[in-house]
Structures are given as C-alpha cells and as structure tokens.
Amino acid sequence: MTFQGKRLSLFSLPEVQELYSVPRFSPHEREYFFTLNDEEYAAVNRHNSYRNRIYLVLMLGYFKVKPVCLVYGWKNIAEDYRYVAERYFPLASKQNKNIDRQTRGRLYHTVFNIVGYQRYDKPVELDVLTHLNKRAMLYVDETQLFKDVVDLLKSKQVAIPRYSTLQKVISRVVNTEEARLAALIGRHLSNKDAFLQLIDHNEKNYRLKDLKKLTKAYKPGEIKKELARHRILSELSVDALGLMEKLKLSDGNICYFATRCQQYDISRLRELKREKALIYLTCFVATRFRISNDSLTQSFLVAYKDVNDQALAYRDEQVKQQALALLDDIEKVPQVLNLFVDNTIEDCVSFGTVRPQAFKMISKDQLPLVSQQLANIKPDKAVFQWDYMDKHFTQVTRNIRPLLLALDFGCRGNTLLERQINTVKAALKSHLPSPPIDGRLVKRSDKNYLTINSLGEDNDKKEIANRHEMYLYKLLDTALRNGNVYVKNSLEFRSFDDYLVNDAIWHHRNKYLREAGLGWMTQSSRDYLTTLENRLSEKNHVGGSAHC
C-alpha cells in the first residue's frame, strides 16, 4: 500500500486487482453468463449498432459476476467479444471496435435498469462517507475500509464505481479520522514532550529506534535489553493507555497507527504534523508495551523451565549415583547380619560395642538408605532437586527475579496467590527477604521442603526464604500456562475477561451488530437459513426463457 499525494493507493492488493479485472470464463461459464432472458434480449435489441449490442451483452455478463463498472482494453475482452458476436450477431464484425466514455455510460445505464441496480452518485457518496466515518472510528485500515464500502454498495444494490472514485473517498475518510484524533490528542495528552522526545534529533541515541527492536532470543543478554526498554515503555504507557481510554480508540486502530509508526523512519515522523505524529507515537508505545509484556512473560517461562530442567537433571544424576552406591552396600548386608550370629561376640557385649563394627561395613549415613531399598521404599528424589536450587539460587535472582518485578500479574479467582505475588514483589523491591508463602498455596507433599526442620541445623532462614520465593515461581509457571494467571496490558497472556464485552455493550448488541454490518446475526437461525436458501435459488435460476 502506497500514497499518491493525499490519495491512498490500494491497487497493489490482490483483492482490489481481482475486483477491477475482467472475469476469466471457462467455456461453460461463458455460455452461462452470456445467456439472455426475454427482458435482457429485448433491451439489447433496442440498440441499433451491432457493436453496442455486443458490448451491452458483455457488460451485463460481467456485471452478473461482479457489480462493477469496469474499464478494459480490447485484449481483455477479445475472446468474449467474438463469442457473443458469433452466438447472437453472426453478421457483426469480430474485429476491435472500441466505444467512447459516453457510450459506455449509456450502456451501463441499461445494465442497471435490467438488474435493478443504481448508479453511484453524489447522494450515494454522502451515505458512503457517513457510513465509513463511523467505521473509521473502529478501524482506519484502508484495506478493511475498501472491503467495507464494497459490501455496503452491494447490499444497497449500487454499482461499484471506478477504483479512483473509491480511492478518493477512502483517503478522505482516513484523513478526517486522523484530523479528529489529532484534535483530541491536542486537548487530552498533557505530557506531549515526553513522546516527541522519542524522535527528537537532539537525542544522542534515538530512543524510538531502540524501542522498535524486538527480543531476538530468550537469552539473559537479550532479556536485559528488553527490561531496559520495558522501563521506558512503562513510564510512557501510563499516559498512552490513559489517552487510548479517553479517545475510546479501538484495538484495531491502536494496532493500525502503531504499525504506521513502526514502518516510518524517524525523519518521516518528524515531517508529520505534531498531533499526527503523536497519534502514531502514543499508539506505538501502548502496543509496544503490550508486546514487551508478552516477551518478558515468555522469557519468565523459558527461564523457569531452564532452571527447573537443570534441577531435574541434577536430581536424576544424583539418584543414579545413589543407586550405584547402594548396590555396593547391599552386598555388605549379609556381613552386618552375621554380626548377630558371630560366636566370638559374647552376649554380654553391649550393642554400642557392636554398632561401630557394622558402620565399618556400611556407613552410618548409607545404612538408612540401604534399609529403605531393601524394604522397597522409594527414595526422596525431591531432596536433590531442592538441593540444586539452594546451590544455584543466584541464577534465579539474576534471570527470573527481575522478570517478576517488571511484570504486573493478575489472578482469576485466586486472591491468595495474587496477594502472595504482591507481597513478595513489595519485599524484594525493598531489598528484604522473600516472605513465607501462604501455606494454603502449598501442596501437602511439598511442605516438608519449605520448613527449617527439613533442612537441618546448618541451613539458615535465608535458604528457606529462597525456597519460598522459588515455590512462588513454580506456582506462577503453572498458572500462566493454564490461564489462571494473566499479565496486565498483554496481548498473548491477557485475562480471559478482556475478550468479553461489557454488559452495556451486550445489552445493545443488536445495534452494534447492525452498525458493524453483521445485521444477519440478529436473525433467528431459521430466518437466516431461509434467506440463504432463497439467495442460492436465485443464483441457480436463469429467469425467463434463454435465447441462444
């Protein structure tokens, strides 16, 4: 999509090219669309020259396929022209016979009368402008506006005019909406300079250029850069999101203007009028802030998975090594049992004297594990997992904690978890140890690992605080993946409730559906199916008797 002065150029779009091109018929389609009923045949024969008759049949056939006033060259219609001439007017010349603009207009007037359409004129254009100005408040995307005006004209049985006509109308609508928003921004955005500073040539490093960069990979270096961008975006987003709310900008328009900002370089943005540049910049900040939240949330999930996978690998390796060690000790169990039947040991000898001999065979630490193995009791693998977390918690504070502090989490139906998140964040921001996690959030099987007694006398409260913080990350990882936790001002991790319309809109849903061109959705299913059935019957029926 390009600009030609103040006029938008949409002709490069495939759907636009297809609409304004001459239909390409197969032999069967050519026979079908150029078959005339009595009314059509009589209208054609009212014209004196063969040339005008042939062109009228062509225009009528093309119009049945798409209700457009087409402009074409001889090479586009030569084959169809010869077919119509041979079928209806065998005495007519089959050579190139162009018609002028006035004749084309008269012939299309006949076509409109036959099919019950009207010409696109000034009154129609006023209706189109009124309709599109309302639509532009929802989306100013030129492609969508083009599709919308085509659908509107078809529904009103108005012939779609030449491309240049719609091009001017859509350009006018887009400019009108941008001017409306520019005026509102001038009144409602108080901190304009903060946004304009993003493209200020006095800035040593162009801030906007850096903000446009996206995270390439979820690696510590890239995440650190994104966190720096997030801090800038977070400060600006307060004004930007507040402005979006005041202007009641739709998500579609916010995305559209943000894309424009992304596409324009800084010098191009400086050339725009101040308020228009502010539209692009504020929408860009709002959108980029949401993208940044998505990126950091995904980084959180990746970082947690990395450290958890490493802990699991460490656990499995330790269990493997322990199992190998136990095999050696299990072989020594008969030696320990022989102590009970050793005749050289008198009955009067105390057990305390015998015990050191047993520990020489199997160490004091290993003996309980050997007993568990013989009793077929599964060893506690999670001990090793938590042991890894204790030893590598600096990896957590470096890669995961900054993401927790940057993101604004919310919970659906779990106030306990939301309160815990906010309490932990407040403590960490004040450089205090992570507070204990609410016991109601901890699984019974995990509680032993979050108490001092389970760690032994040599472990201090700091390790317990670290484990409680790590357990919160575990809860967050699970809840983010199943949708019970969301990230505010996010696109991918937004709350499910954000996808729902509020009660006020739902109450007037029929009105909004009609305004959106979806009035058919207000019909009952039976009525709508009847409408579709009638429409299909009309398409399958060729009225009257056909002339061959």
Side-chain angles (χ1 to χ4, degrees):
M1 188 184 337
T2 59
F3 284 90
Q4 295 175 347
K6 293 186 178 180
R7 188 187 301 178
L8 301 166
S9 176
L10 300 168
F11 201 74
S12 59
L13 298 174
E15 55 265 42
V16 179
Q17 291 181 341
E18 193 281 331
L19 180 65
Y20 285 99
S21 62
V22 174
R24 298 299 180 196
F25 290 147
S26 66
H28 174 74
E29 290 170 334
R30 184 176 288 114
E31 179 182 359
Y32 176 82
F33 285 107
F34 292 140
T35 295
L36 304 175
N37 60 30
D38 291 340
E39 179 189 355
E40 294 165 352
Y41 191 73
V44 168
N45 283 324
R46 290 192 191 103
H47 293 268
N48 296 325
S49 69
Y50 285 136
R51 180 195 63 173
N52 290 353
R53 292 178 183 181
I54 295 171
Y55 266 100
L56 180 56
V57 174
L58 292 176
M59 289 178 179
L60 183 59
Y62 296 152
F63 201 88
K64 290 176 181 177
V65 179
K66 41 181 133 177
V68 183
C69 295
L70 298 175
V71 178
Y72 38 74
W74 173 254
K75 66 178 182 179
N76 302 121
I77 65 166
E79 190 173 355
D80 292 336
Y81 189 98
R82 286 191 287 268
Y83 170 82
V84 172
E86 290 172 359
R87 180 174 179 180
Y88 292 106
F89 314 106
L91 298 179
S93 171
K94 314 299 188 298
Q95 300 304 312
N96 180 3
K97 289 184 176 292
N98 291 325
I99 55 174
D100 56 36
R101 184 175 179 180
Q102 288 74 20
T103 302
R104 187 188 305 274
R106 289 196 300 272
L107 293 177
Y108 264 122
H109 181 73
T110 304
V111 170
F112 301 155
N113 289 335
I114 293 173
V115 297
Y117 265 66
Q118 69 178 97
R119 185 182 296 277
Y120 182 94
D121 52 18
K122 285 297 180 185
V124 170
E125 184 165 282
L126 290 176
D127 288 341
V128 167
L129 285 170
T130 301
H131 178 77
L132 290 187
N133 282 330
K134 290 180 180 179
R135 314 303 281 159
M137 293 182 183
L138 300 176
Y139 48 81
V140 289
D141 180 81
E142 298 89 349
T143 306
Q144 185 58 46
L145 288 174
F146 180 85
K147 293 177 181 177
D148 204 42
V149 70
V150 168
D151 289 340
L152 175 68
L153 294 175
K154 286 181 179 179
S155 69
K156 291 182 175 294
Q157 289 193 296
V158 175
I160 299 170
R162 299 176 65 171
Y163 165 72
S164 59
T165 301
L166 295 187
Q167 187 184 26
K168 292 175 185 177
V169 169
I170 295 173
S171 297
R172 182 175 169 183
V173 168
V174 171
N175 291 333
T176 299
E177 178 61 14
E178 289 186 346
R180 185 186 74 85
L181 293 175
L184 290 173
I185 280 183
R187 292 201 300 269
H188 294 295
L189 184 62
S190 56
N191 195 12
K192 301 180 182 67
D193 291 339
F195 291 92
L196 292 173
Q197 192 177 4
L198 296 175
I199 56 174
D200 192 332
H201 65 276
N202 291 323
E203 283 284 308
K204 184 176 180 181
N205 295 316
Y206 295 136
R207 298 171 72 190
L208 181 63
K209 185 177 181 180
D210 181 61
L211 292 177
K212 286 183 177 182
K213 297 176 181 177
L214 299 176
T215 306
K216 297 178 180 178
Y218 301 111
K219 296 181 179 179
E222 287 292 318
I223 295 172
K224 187 176 180 180
K225 293 177 184 177
E226 187 61 28
L227 282 167
R229 298 184 195 110
H230 187 270
R231 284 190 288 271
I232 297 172
L233 292 165
S234 182
E235 293 174 3
L236 293 172
S237 68
V238 176
D239 287 331
L241 293 171
L243 181 69
M244 306 296 106
E245 185 67 26
K246 287 179 181 177
L247 270 55
K248 299 189 182 302
L249 270 181
S250 66
D251 287 343
N253 276 355
I254 293 172
C255 180
Y256 171 82
F257 289 125
T259 302
R260 279 289 178 84
C261 185
Q262 185 75 31
Q263 292 170 343
Y264 287 2
D265 57 29
I266 292 177
S267 60
R268 179 73 182 277
L269 289 169
R270 289 198 197 112
E271 293 172 358
L272 299 176
K273 290 183 179 179
R274 189 167 179 260
E275 285 73 19
K276 188 171 182 178
L278 284 169
I279 298 175
Y280 293 176
L281 290 170
T282 51
C283 288
F284 169 79
V285 167
T287 302
R288 182 64 180 86
F289 181 57
R290 290 166 176 163
I291 293 172
S292 183
N293 281 327
D294 282 348
S295 179
L296 294 182
T297 305
Q298 191 62 48
S299 298
F300 173 88
L301 295 173
V302 170
Y304 177 81
K305 185 177 184 301
D306 284 347
V307 71
N308 192 57
D309 286 349
Q310 292 166 21
L312 291 175
Y314 174 83
R315 178 202 67 183
D316 294 343
E317 180 60 28
Q318 292 302 309
V319 169
K320 179 181 176 181
Q321 294 300 325
Q322 186 185 72
L324 292 174
L326 285 175
L327 287 176
D328 294 336
D329 289 329
I330 288 173
E331 293 177 355
K332 299 174 185 177
V333 169
Q335 299 177 35
V336 175
L337 295 177
N338 284 335
L339 292 174
F340 290 91
V341 294
D342 190 341
N343 294 328
T344 63
I345 301 175
E346 299 290 338
D347 290 340
C348 61
V349 175
S350 68
F351 187 71
T353 303
V354 179
R355 182 184 295 173
Q357 296 182 47
F359 289 157
K360 286 181 181 178
M361 301 171 188
I362 302 176
S363 70
K364 182 179 180 180
D365 293 335
Q366 286 291 97
L367 192 56
L369 297 175
V370 173
S371 299
Q372 290 178 11
Q373 186 75 9
L374 291 173
N376 198 26
I377 298 174
K378 293 182 179 180
D380 188 356
K381 297 180 180 181
V383 169
F384 299 115
Q385 191 174 348
W386 283 106
D387 181 52
Y388 180 90
M389 299 292 189
D390 294 338
K391 294 176 180 177
H392 298 84
F393 197 74
T394 53
Q395 180 181 348
V396 174
T397 59
R398 184 174 62 250
N399 297 338
I400 301 181
R401 184 185 288 175
L403 298 170
L404 172 75
L405 297 177
L407 294 167
D408 192 1
F409 294 101
C411 301
R412 297 188 75 247
N414 193 339
T415 54
L416 282 177
L417 180 56
E418 188 163 5
R419 191 182 305 124
Q420 184 71 40
I421 294 169
N422 294 332
T423 302
V424 171
K425 288 179 69 172
L428 294 177
K429 286 180 179 178
S430 301
H431 305 288
L432 298 174
S434 179
I437 199 161
D438 192 309
R440 289 170 290 183
L441 295 170
V442 182
K443 290 183 179 179
R444 182 180 299 177
S445 58
D446 294 330
K447 288 186 176 181
N448 288 337
Y449 310 109
L450 302 176
T451 59
I452 294 177
N453 292 336
S454 68
L455 294 174
E457 298 176 356
D458 296 335
N459 292 282
D460 56 18
K461 294 181 179 180
K462 184 176 180 181
E463 279 191 339
I464 285 293
N466 291 346
R467 287 195 174 191
H468 280 254
E469 182 181 343
M470 193 65 207
Y471 198 81
L472 176 63
Y473 298 145
K474 176 182 179 180
L475 294 176
L476 274 174
D477 177 79
T478 302
L480 278 169
R481 294 183 187 278
N482 62 28
N484 290 330
V485 165
Y486 60 89
V487 177
K488 298 173 184 177
N489 293 310
S490 166
L491 297 173
E492 183 178 352
F493 298 95
R494 61 167 60 181
S495 169
F496 176 76
D497 296 332
D498 291 343
Y499 293 97
L500 307 177
V501 299
N502 59 45
D503 292 339
I505 293 177
W506 180 251
H507 183 69
H508 299 287
R509 60 188 179 278
N510 288 346
K511 171 178 173 288
Y512 291 116
L513 285 171
R514 284 191 292 270
E515 289 180 354
L518 300 172
W520 59 269
M521 294 184 68
T522 64
Q523 295 178 271
S524 68
S525 58
R526 178 176 295 179
D527 290 343
Y528 185 58
L529 287 173
T530 300
T531 301
L532 293 178
E533 183 180 359
N534 293 337
R535 193 177 301 168
L536 181 62
S537 296
E538 290 174 5
K539 288 183 177 294
N540 288 333
H541 177 68
V542 179
S545 58
H547 285 263
C548 301

